[in-house]
Every structure is written in structure tokens, then in C-alpha cells.
Amino acid sequence: MKDFFVILGGMGTQATESFVHLLNKRTPAKKDQDYLNYCLFNHATVPDRTAYILDTTLDSPVEALTEDIRQLSPLHPSFFVLTCNTAHYFYNELQAQTEIPILHMPRIAVEQVVKSYSHLNRKIRVGLLATTGTVSSGVYHQEMEKHEQTELVMASKEIQEEVMTLIYDDIKAQNYLNEERYQYILKEMMEEEACDVVILGCTELSLMQAETLQTKFPVIDAQSELVDATIERVLSRR
């Protein structure tokens, strides 16, 4: 197969499935051959990224992800897609393993925030909902610092605990899309923290957003933006 890309997934598997579903759904296709060529690498046993960032004595996910990239690079994909926000903490280490570009999901999401909300003509108050690992890693902080018109708003301790419960206890552990908890979290970020928009910086939250019937709160879904960037990149090369 030529002119294909690789999806580095499995972190988690349900979220990866959501990414692929959205990718296929948004691809402008009228026949089989119009869809995108890709290889899905669902490496479900990659050690937990958040757990390692918070406690480096635990198993590191870098070795597993590095092995994946080294195995797949000789196939000469056009690019890699890394479908885990927290894994971008290791982005520089992973990109150093290959000359093949890896799309940077947090960067793409932040750039979309700036594009969508620059009309405010003031600081854009951007809330971040993500795992404690992603928050601690600073990957979104670093991207936000590149744009003077943005102001990063962190969740309170209480809301961050709610986010982790939603991601790990509800979605990962039980495959339970707890819409009530999700809507409560968004409401607190928008009304109590006065955010203009909230970035969904975890693919489990992206899965939650995709399955939520209705929400009045403005969000930028990092996974959704990565899907669009992936499709745009492929179609521009055809």
C-alpha cells in the first residue's frame, strides 16, 4: 500500500475506535476508493501515560511507543497520528526516532482556538479538561504560550477530580458515558471559571462529546481537530 498514514492507537481502545469512526464519517467519499489509506496500530498494552508522568518509578510508555515507531517507519507512511493527548508529553522523544512527521494534536487544537475566537479582540479564556497527567505535563501550556491572545484556565481541584472520575472510573473502567457528570464539568468551567471555550484534551472526553446528544457549552475537541487535520493533509497530497 502506498500513500498511507499510521494511527498509533490503543490509548485507550474505545477512544481510538471513536477517532477512526469520525475519520471515516468525515472523509468526503462516494465510493470505496475515496476513503483514506491508513494502518491502525492498536497497542492497548502501552503503560498508562498519566500514571508514569505522576510517578516515574512506574513502567514508562516511551519504550513501547518507540518500538511501534521503529517497527512502522520502514513501511514509509506519509505521517503518524498519535491519538492520545497525554502521550504528547513524549512527543520530542518520539519524533526523534523517525524522520516521518508525527502530527501534534495539542498544537492543532490550540491553533483552532485562536482561529475561532480571535474576533473577541481580547484575551481568550481557554479552559483545559484533561487527565492530571496531561495537565502536569504542560503540553497544552507550552502551546498556549505561543499565542499571546490566549489565557489558560485550569480546572479547580474538585472539578479535576470529577474529570478523572469521568475518564477512568466511568469511561475506561465501565464504558459508561456519564453525560450528567460531563455536563456538570462543562457548566462549572463556563460559569464558575468564566471560560470562553473549553479544550477537550483527552480522547475519552472526545468520545464523551461525540456521544452527547446536546450541550450548550462551546468546546474545541482536540481529537476532532486532529481528524480534520488528518483528512486535510491526505487530500492535499492526492
Side-chain angles (χ1 to χ4, degrees):
M1 181 167 61
K2 297 180 180 179
D3 298 323
F4 72 100
F5 61 95
V6 169
I7 301 169
L8 295 174
M11 302 168 281
T13 295
Q14 291 285 353
T16 302
E17 182 179 321
S18 174
F19 175 87
V20 174
H21 175 75
L22 197 58
L23 182 76
N24 293 335
K25 183 178 180 180
R26 290 188 183 172
T27 300
K30 295 183 178 180
K31 59 183 186 297
D32 289 346
Q33 292 74 24
D34 290 338
Y35 287 95
L36 310 184
N37 293 334
Y38 57 83
C39 174
L40 171 58
F41 211 67
N42 197 69
H43 194 163
T45 53
V46 173
D48 189 273
R49 285 65 58 200
T50 289
Y52 176 76
I53 291 171
L54 298 179
D55 182 359
T56 55
T57 65
L58 300 177
D59 291 340
S60 169
V62 175
E63 182 177 348
L65 291 170
T66 296
E67 181 183 9
D68 294 344
I69 290 171
R70 288 177 175 172
Q71 287 177 340
L72 295 163
S73 289
L75 299 178
H76 303 294
S78 299
F79 59 93
F80 288 103
V81 174
L82 185 59
T83 62
C84 173
N85 281 272
T86 313
H88 284 75
Y89 175 68
F90 315 105
Y91 179 87
N92 291 336
E93 292 177 73
L94 300 177
Q95 185 62 84
Q97 303 300 320
T98 181
E99 295 181 356
I100 297 164
I102 304 172
L103 300 193
H104 196 295
M105 179 158 50
R107 184 172 301 155
I108 291 168
V110 171
E111 288 174 350
Q112 185 58 45
V113 167
V114 175
K115 180 180 178 181
S116 299
Y117 290 87
S118 58
H119 65 277
L120 295 178
N121 294 319
R122 59 169 171 77
K123 287 277 189 179
I124 309 165
R125 287 181 60 81
V126 186
L128 175 62
L129 296 179
T131 65
T132 303
T134 296
V135 172
S136 300
S137 73
V139 292
Y140 274 94
H141 302 67
Q142 294 167 14
E143 296 305 317
M144 293 274 285
E145 287 174 355
K146 298 176 183 178
H147 303 277
E148 293 182 356
Q149 63 269 56
T150 62
E151 177 183 355
L152 185 59
V153 180
M154 306 307 300
S156 66
K157 181 180 178 181
E158 175 198 348
I159 294 302
Q160 185 59 36
E161 290 175 354
E162 290 287 334
V163 171
M164 290 295 282
T165 298
L166 177 62
I167 293 170
Y168 279 88
D169 298 341
D170 293 339
I171 301 176
K172 285 183 180 289
Q174 302 181 64
N175 195 25
Y176 171 41
L177 299 177
N178 190 334
E179 185 169 344
E180 182 179 356
R181 191 188 305 276
Y182 177 58
Q183 295 282 13
Y184 168 72
I185 291 168
L186 289 178
K187 182 176 184 293
E188 289 295 301
M189 292 301 291
M190 299 304 300
E191 297 182 1
E192 297 300 321
E193 304 296 340
C195 296
D196 294 306
V197 61
V198 172
I199 289 180
L200 303 181
C202 175
T203 46
E204 272 70 33
L205 297 180
S206 300
L207 175 61
M208 186 74 251
Q209 175 67 12
E211 297 298 326
T212 297
L213 296 178
Q214 184 178 4
T215 178
K216 63 181 179 180
F217 305 111
V219 300
I220 293 291
D221 178 359
Q223 178 177 264
S224 176
E225 299 303 328
L226 181 63
V227 166
D228 289 344
T230 299
I231 294 172
E232 180 180 356
R233 189 180 184 96
V234 172
L235 296 185
S236 69
R237 298 168 63 95
R238 282 187 173 175

